[in-house]
Amino acid sequence: MEFINKNNIQELANPGVVSRQLLNPENSTSTRVTITEVHLEIGASQPRHTHDESEQIWYATQGSGKLLLADDQVKEFKAGDVVRFADKDVHGLLNDGSTEFVYISVTAPPINFGYAYEEKR
């Protein structure tokens, strides 16, 4: 069993975005998955990007926004929705709603996301 105390959950931040690293290579011995809780302020975005060797599943828990997909496509994404991105799928998110947007991300195999954020808390 592995227990992760809330004091061992690091937060990574970019302007308007906070990613809580619930389970990642720095606080867990898991070799199969990274789990994050991501918060986007109103108007904030995560730019389009890909992961070469990991898939991601996002579960929206609060708010509404737009998925930013390949070829400048967008798709509505709101609380209760789930989306899966395969390896190399282009994906990002824009919170164009009227409240904070929150989603849970499961990434397999795990990624240490520190490279993608300006600030570590």
Side-chain angles (χ1 to χ4, degrees):
M1 185 196 99
E2 214 171 29
F3 176 83
I4 300 168
N5 184 285
K6 66 181 178 179
N7 296 326
N8 293 327
I9 296 174
Q10 183 178 50
E11 291 185 350
L12 304 174
N14 283 332
V17 180
V18 173
S19 179
R20 299 185 71 238
Q21 306 298 292
L22 303 179
L23 186 134
N24 70 25
E26 290 187 10
N27 70 2
S28 171
T29 59
S30 175
T31 59
R32 298 184 182 201
V33 67
T34 295
I35 302 174
T36 58
E37 178 185 82
V38 183
H39 297 248
L40 284 85
E41 295 175 2
I42 298 168
S45 69
Q46 294 178 301
R48 288 177 172 89
H49 62 281
T50 62
H51 303 290
D52 288 339
E53 298 179 4
S54 293
E55 68 177 296
Q56 279 191 323
I57 299 163
W58 291 358
Y59 170 55
T61 61
Q62 179 181 317
S64 63
K66 297 281 189 305
L67 294 170
L68 306 175
L69 307 171
D71 302 320
D72 292 325
Q73 293 183 37
V74 296
K75 180 167 183 62
E76 185 176 343
F77 188 47
K78 61 185 183 312
D81 291 343
V82 175
V83 62
R84 178 187 168 271
F85 304 106
D87 303 12
K88 299 181 177 76
D89 277 354
V90 174
H91 60 286
L93 183 66
L94 168 65
N95 180 1
D96 64 350
S98 59
T99 63
E100 178 182 52
F101 189 94
V102 181
Y103 70 92
I104 301 294
S105 174
V106 178
T107 306
I111 294 177
N112 183 331
F113 290 105
Y115 73 91
Y117 290 86
E118 298 173 8
E119 183 183 343
K120 295 181 181 180
R121 302 179 184 167

